[in-house]
Amino acid sequence: MAFTRATGKHRGPSRLARRSAGIAGVATFATAGVIGTLASPALAADTDAPSFEDTGLTQVVAADSLADTVDAQAAAQEREAAEAEAQARAKAEAKRKAEARAKEIREAKERAAREAERKRLNSFQLPVAGSYVSTGYQTGGSLWSSGSHSGVDFHAAYGSKVVSVGSGTVVEAGWGGAYGNNIVIRMNDGTYTQYGHLSSISVSVGQSVTPGQQIGVSGSTGNSTGPHLHFEARTTAEYGSDINPVAYLRARGVNV
């Protein structure tokens, strides 16, 4: 026989009702918990002020800063390149000027050397260095077949060095009778000079000579009373065309 309990105001809930209510409570708690869990960050975000780092401004500022850095580096590189180029141009210009100056100096030296050589080749000097005239021009006496001296005698010990008085070409070199071993040179100005009584000759016909170049050694060959140098100045290569040798040398700047 079954018994039923009447429901009333003071009756407690049935077991089934309590179970249902418990399940509902658990569900409600769980749902609230899930919702609370999901909502808590949003609530935290709402309650806290948004930080600068959590916005897109950070990326914009960083990009601007990087661009400024790149621009600064590029500008610095351009300045360095411009400075390097300017230094290179300055060095090149300095080198060009130095080379031009060196060329000017070299050319000036070359011109000076050529001028000095030209003057030397056009210069005249004594046939025996440091000598003097021991017998003058046209001195009379029986020693000369013509009755007078056709040249001058320069004092010269045996073996003294005899040189050409100027630039020219040898036209005679060998035995000359009364002159002994002699040399005749056609000078570049068209005149002729003769060197007689030599002990030896060191040039040959056709050879070019310059002022001060050795052509022989003094002696006493031919019609001679002792070692000396017989020197003549002539208008031609032949005997009898003699001119005053002292005046000839002095006119060419030689101190005789």
Side-chain angles (χ1 to χ4, degrees):
M1 182 173 166
F3 294 93
T4 60
R5 183 177 297 176
T7 60
K9 180 178 179 181
H10 299 289
R11 178 176 293 180
S14 66
R15 182 178 179 182
L16 179 60
R18 287 196 304 271
R19 182 178 179 183
S20 300
I23 293 173
V26 171
T28 301
F29 177 79
T31 303
V34 171
I35 294 172
T37 302
L38 294 174
S40 59
L43 292 175
D46 290 340
T47 56
D48 295 335
S51 64
F52 185 76
E53 291 78 3
D54 291 335
T55 69
L57 294 176
T58 303
Q59 296 179 356
V60 174
V61 171
D64 290 344
S65 177
L66 178 60
D68 291 341
T69 301
V70 171
D71 290 343
Q73 291 176 346
Q77 290 174 352
E78 289 179 357
R79 286 195 301 271
E80 291 176 356
E83 291 175 358
E85 183 179 357
Q87 291 177 357
R89 286 198 301 267
K91 289 181 179 180
E93 180 64 14
K95 181 179 179 181
R96 185 191 67 78
K97 289 182 178 180
E99 290 176 347
R101 180 56 180 163
K103 182 180 179 181
E104 290 178 359
I105 294 174
R106 184 172 62 255
E107 289 177 348
K109 288 181 178 180
E110 291 174 353
R111 286 194 300 269
R114 288 194 298 268
E115 180 63 16
E117 181 64 7
R118 185 188 67 79
K119 289 181 178 180
R120 186 187 74 83
L121 293 176
N122 291 329
S123 67
F124 282 75
Q125 62 186 69
L126 291 174
V128 179
S131 186
Y132 58 89
V133 174
S134 57
T135 305
Y137 177 59
Q138 292 186 339
T139 299
S142 59
L143 292 174
W144 303 281
S145 59
S146 63
S148 65
H149 200 196
S150 58
V152 295
D153 291 340
F154 279 100
H155 175 77
Y158 189 91
S160 296
K161 179 181 177 180
V162 176
V163 302
S164 173
V165 296
S167 297
T169 304
V170 177
V171 296
E172 183 178 338
W175 188 257
Y179 292 108
N181 292 321
N182 89 122
I183 298 170
V184 178
I185 299 175
R186 184 186 187 278
M187 312 308 292
N188 285 349
D189 63 3
T191 60
Y192 293 80
T193 54
Q194 183 196 37
Y195 311 78
H197 306 308
L198 302 173
S199 63
S200 66
I201 296 171
S202 55
V203 292
S204 57
V205 173
Q207 180 177 339
S208 296
V209 294
T210 57
Q213 179 178 334
Q214 183 173 356
I215 58 175
V217 175
S218 66
S220 186
T221 58
N223 186 14
S224 173
T225 59
H228 67 281
L229 173 68
H230 176 83
F231 176 77
E232 285 189 23
R234 299 174 176 176
T235 58
T236 71
E238 305 303 325
Y239 172 79
S241 63
D242 53 277
I243 56 178
N244 188 332
V246 173
Y248 174 87
L249 291 175
R250 285 177 178 172
R252 288 158 176 77
V254 181
N255 184 20
V256 184

